[in-house]
Structure formats: C-alpha cells, structure tokens
Amino acid sequence: QVQLVESGGGLVQAGGSLRLSCAASGRTLSSYAMGWFRQAPGKEREFVAAINWTGGSTYYADSVKDRFTISRDNAKNTVYLQMNSLKPEDTAVYYCAAGRDKYYTRSEYGYASWGQGTQVTVSS
C-alpha cells in the first residue's frame, strides 16, 4: 500500500500561485497514473488533473485548464500541481491520488490510494 502526503497548500490572494507536492512512500509510483482532486466546503470531490505513468500525457478539468500544470518526478516519487492565476473558487482541500494502472482517468474509482489533503484558500 502506498502512502501519499500532500504539501504546499496555504492562503494566497486571487491571481497568485501555489505549488502543491505529493510525496509517496511504500511503493514506487513510476508504473501508475496520478491524479489531483479537490473538495470545496459543501460540495462533492471533483477531478482537477491527471498524468499518465511516464508523465508524457496530462488531462485537466475545464475549470483549471491553462492555469494549472500537473507534473511528476518518478526519481523522487513525487507529483506536483502548479497552480497559477488562482481564483476564490479554487478554494478547497486538494487531494492527490495514485492510480490503479498506468493510464489516467477523471473518475475517483480509477485511484487506489489517497492522501490526507492540503488546504488551499484563495482570498478575493
């Protein structure tokens, strides 16, 4: 079983940037797709971004496309989410997740392990 720990969340003004990291232990992530999801207060958890096992293919929710970038460093067993031009509606707890296989999906059911989450708050 892999353990995932997110970091990098915090409070930022609208228009600012944050970089989230997700460090894995217990299993190498190099053979698995990875994803980021988020959950705002009172809302269901939603897909944000995903990356395939090599890092050569990525997929984004329409709401974050062209603002967020997912990447991975398999040598460091770490996945990143660079968030630029942040908006108040990006405020949420952000979770990283390890996929069940090499190929990404926007469905939560495609992910076998989840981190505890990191809070991102964007002020207007």
Side-chain angles (χ1 to χ4, degrees):
Q1 186 75 7
V2 63
Q3 289 79 45
L4 302 173
V5 178
E6 302 95 337
S7 61
L11 173 64
V12 64
Q13 289 189 331
S17 298
L18 284 174
R19 187 195 196 202
L20 305 184
S21 298
C22 173
S25 60
R27 187 184 78 183
T28 178
L29 295 181
S30 60
S31 297
Y32 300 91
M34 296 293 295
W36 285 95
F37 290 75
R38 67 186 182 186
Q39 187 168 21
K43 295 188 177 181
E44 294 187 353
R45 189 158 57 186
E46 65 175 0
F47 169 78
V48 175
I51 189 166
N52 75 339
W53 65 296
T54 64
S57 184
T58 56
Y59 182 44
Y60 298 93
D62 288 343
S63 59
V64 307
K65 200 174 296 182
D66 300 325
R67 298 189 298 122
F68 290 11
T69 302
I70 187 171
S71 61
R72 66 190 300 162
D73 185 339
N74 285 341
K76 295 183 178 180
N77 229 24
T78 301
V79 179
Y80 306 96
L81 185 68
Q82 177 68 44
M83 306 186 296
N84 299 329
S85 302
L86 282 161
K87 305 175 181 179
E89 52 263 44
D90 294 318
T91 295
V93 177
Y94 283 71
Y95 300 89
C96 73
R100 299 183 186 276
D101 57 34
K102 296 179 178 180
Y103 307 104
Y104 56 65
T105 173
R106 65 181 301 140
S107 170
E108 292 188 24
Y109 298 104
Y111 297 88
S113 301
W114 294 80
Q116 296 283 65
T118 184
Q119 176 70 47
V120 171
T121 303
V122 184
S123 63
S124 57

